[in-house]
């Protein structure tokens, strides 16, 4: 019911910044919670941050707290992940995912965007 496309990834040096975008197509995007996940080579996918459809409801992984910020623009149907003070351990493929307000799991996923942080 909703399709997600990530963009904004790239290669940066440690300490740099990137802003990831998750563009969604759908008529009821505002009813979805959107989360960012990442998966490094050889590792399990892990949660990064999420933002609810209601204002002010956000969650962040402890490892990125204070460095990453998630936001959304329901008019543009886009969710952002601002990443500052990037570290080599942040290197991963980043995915956005959506969960409808009536569901208990993230059932919609994008294709991912690569983030590479060099030391």
């Amino acid at each position: 019911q909703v399709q997600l496309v990530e963009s904004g990834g790239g290669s940066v040096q440690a300490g740099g910044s990137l802003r990831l975008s998750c563009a969604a197509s759908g008529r009821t995007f505002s009813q979805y919670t959107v989360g960012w996940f990442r998966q490094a080579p050889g590792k399990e996918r892990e949660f990064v941050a999420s933002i609810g459809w209601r204002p002010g409801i956000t969650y962040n992984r402890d490892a990125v707290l204070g460095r990453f910020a998630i936001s959304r623009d329901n008019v543009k149907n886009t969710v952002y992940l601002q990443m500052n003070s990037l570290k080599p351990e942040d290197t991963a493929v980043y995915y956005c995912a959506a969960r409808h307000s009536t569901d208990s799991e993230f059932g919609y996923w994008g294709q991912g965007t690569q983030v590479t942080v060099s030391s």
Side-chain angles (χ1 to χ4, degrees):
Q1 197 171 14
V2 61
Q3 293 184 335
L4 308 171
V5 180
E6 303 95 334
S7 63
S11 298
V12 298
Q13 294 183 342
S17 299
L18 286 173
R19 189 182 74 163
L20 305 183
S21 298
C22 176
S25 62
R27 300 176 183 176
T28 57
F29 176 71
S30 62
Q31 300 179 18
Y32 288 80
T33 291
V34 176
W36 284 97
F37 298 78
R38 66 186 182 186
Q39 186 169 21
K43 298 184 65 177
E44 296 288 333
R45 182 188 65 202
E46 64 180 15
F47 169 80
V48 177
S50 67
I51 184 167
W53 64 277
R54 292 183 176 179
I57 304 176
T58 60
Y59 298 91
N60 299 91
R61 187 179 183 87
D62 288 345
V64 304
L65 194 64
R67 299 190 297 118
F68 293 7
I70 189 170
S71 62
R72 70 186 296 165
D73 186 335
N74 288 336
V75 175
K76 297 181 178 180
N77 283 2
T78 302
V79 171
Y80 305 95
L81 183 68
Q82 178 66 47
M83 305 186 296
N84 300 322
S85 301
L86 284 164
K87 303 175 180 179
E89 50 263 43
D90 294 321
T91 295
V93 176
Y94 283 71
Y95 301 89
C96 66
R99 173 175 60 82
H100 194 265
S101 60
T102 61
D103 297 333
S104 60
E105 65 181 14
F106 290 90
Y108 304 91
W109 294 82
Q111 293 296 313
T113 184
Q114 177 70 48
V115 172
T116 302
V117 184
S118 302
S119 61

